[in-house]
Amino acid sequence: MNLKKRLQQGETLLGTLLSLPSPEIAEIMSQVGFDWLFIDLEHGPHGVLELQRMLQAMKPECSALVRVAELSEASIKKVLDTGAAGIIVPKVNSVEEAGRIVSYAKYPTKGVRGVGAARAHGYGLSFKEYVEKANEQTLVIIQIEHPEGVNHINEIVEVEGIDVVFIGPYDLSASFGVAGQVEHALVKVAIDKVEKACDKAGIPMGYFGTTPEAVKPFRQKERYQLIACGTDIGFLIEKGKSVLKELG
Ligand code: 3PY
């Protein structure tokens, strides 16, 4: 079942963030039980070709949601054409931005996504099936990471076609001048406002945390249906350090 359907059925889906351009890491992490991988082209050094190699390596039981490098028609189109289940767009601050994102992610008449025969379309072999279902199945996820986005959240969630509002706690804290203090009162108040707007609009939310402890309080709340915990780099550092510590 596709990821969007699972969200619509109320499931909470667990993922982890990959920022290394490695098909092998994507292959391994797609097999350990995560529902989805948060592949990060915003901060990762990779481009669309490396992304496509990662998707080719992933097992089908795990889906890829890809954070695009920027809000542009080309970056959204190219990422979706690789066969990603959806896009995550960082730092969305206005209704105008949210509207553009939906439009770039959807085929006409809902949007302006250009039609091409890429990996998502089976290189043309399953063109018709993909194009017919893409508008309905592709997840459009926006991140709220700045006070401006928080200030406009009531209008942003009214934009038709936004599937999930994903909190970026690290950027949000940095934007408030308290970088890394994801539990700071300013951040909590902002998240509270976003939660209220999402509840009113009936839009599920997502949250990222570096550890299980950080995401647990969010996972327990029904509205948080996309949870990303940990990063590929973090797992390597943590395990490397713990081995050294244990060996003295
Ligand atoms: C953040 O915490 O700022 C992120 O964007 C991670 O999702």
Side-chain angles (χ1 to χ4, degrees):
M1 195 191 300
N2 78 68
L3 217 57
K4 187 156 167 177
K5 192 114 214 124
R6 292 177 68 188
L7 278 182
Q8 284 165 345
Q9 292 187 351
E11 273 191 67
T12 298
L13 303 171
L14 296 180
T16 192
L17 192 150
L18 303 187
S19 49
L20 295 173
S22 163
E24 289 76 14
I25 292 177
E27 185 179 21
I28 294 164
M29 295 313 257
S30 72
Q31 293 178 75
V32 302
F34 287 111
D35 299 299
W36 63 286
L37 300 179
F38 182 144
I39 299 182
D40 188 12
L41 300 195
E42 185 196 9
H43 296 295
H46 35 335
V48 177
L49 182 57
E50 292 93 339
L51 166 69
Q52 183 152 295
R53 298 286 177 262
M54 293 172 79
L55 299 196
Q56 287 167 331
M58 282 172 63
K59 299 295 165 210
E61 57 270 26
C62 182
S63 302
L65 296 176
V66 180
R67 178 154 68 183
V68 295
E70 58 177 22
L71 195 182
S72 73
E73 184 169 357
S75 62
I76 289 175
K77 176 169 51 189
K78 279 174 177 287
V79 161
L80 289 178
D81 279 358
T82 64
I87 43 154
I88 302 173
V89 183
K91 212 169 277 176
V92 176
N93 288 334
S94 69
V95 172
E96 185 270 332
E97 287 176 347
R100 276 200 291 136
I101 293 162
V102 174
S103 153
Y104 298 156
K106 306 274 184 191
Y107 286 120
T109 54
K110 294 225 157 116
V112 298
R113 181 175 170 192
V115 174
R119 181 171 180 268
H121 318 75
Y123 306 99
L125 294 170
S126 48
F127 178 84
K128 192 165 171 285
E129 297 93 294
Y130 177 76
V131 172
E132 274 173 9
K133 289 191 188 140
N135 278 0
E136 195 190 303
Q137 295 189 347
T138 300
L139 277 167
V140 177
I141 302 162
I142 59 161
Q143 283 200 278
I144 295 296
E145 317 190 89
H146 192 275
E148 215 180 307
V150 177
N151 288 340
H152 295 132
I153 192 63
N154 288 314
E155 302 90 67
I156 290 174
V157 292
E158 293 301 326
V159 174
E160 201 184 323
I162 302 290
D163 295 304
V164 180
V165 170
F166 201 103
I167 299 288
Y170 284 91
D171 272 309
L172 196 54
S173 61
S175 308
F176 278 110
V178 291
Q181 296 178 53
V182 297
E183 292 187 25
H184 193 282
L186 286 168
V187 178
K188 282 193 170 163
V189 169
I191 293 179
D192 193 51
K193 181 166 180 192
V194 177
E195 288 179 350
K196 286 199 170 80
C198 288
D199 285 355
K200 194 157 165 246
I203 295 187
M205 292 184 65
Y207 189 82
F208 164 79
T210 53
T211 61
E213 292 68 40
V215 301
K216 267 183 199 164
F218 294 87
R219 196 196 170 184
Q220 279 156 11
K221 296 183 196 170
E222 226 172 273
R223 66 167 77 82
Y224 284 93
Q225 286 186 255
L226 280 184
I227 298 288
C229 183
T231 69
D232 47 3
I233 294 175
F235 293 142
L236 288 169
I237 292 176
E238 210 178 291
K239 195 65 199 170
K241 280 187 169 175
S242 92
V243 165
L244 282 175
K245 193 169 167 205
E246 212 168 303
L247 293 177

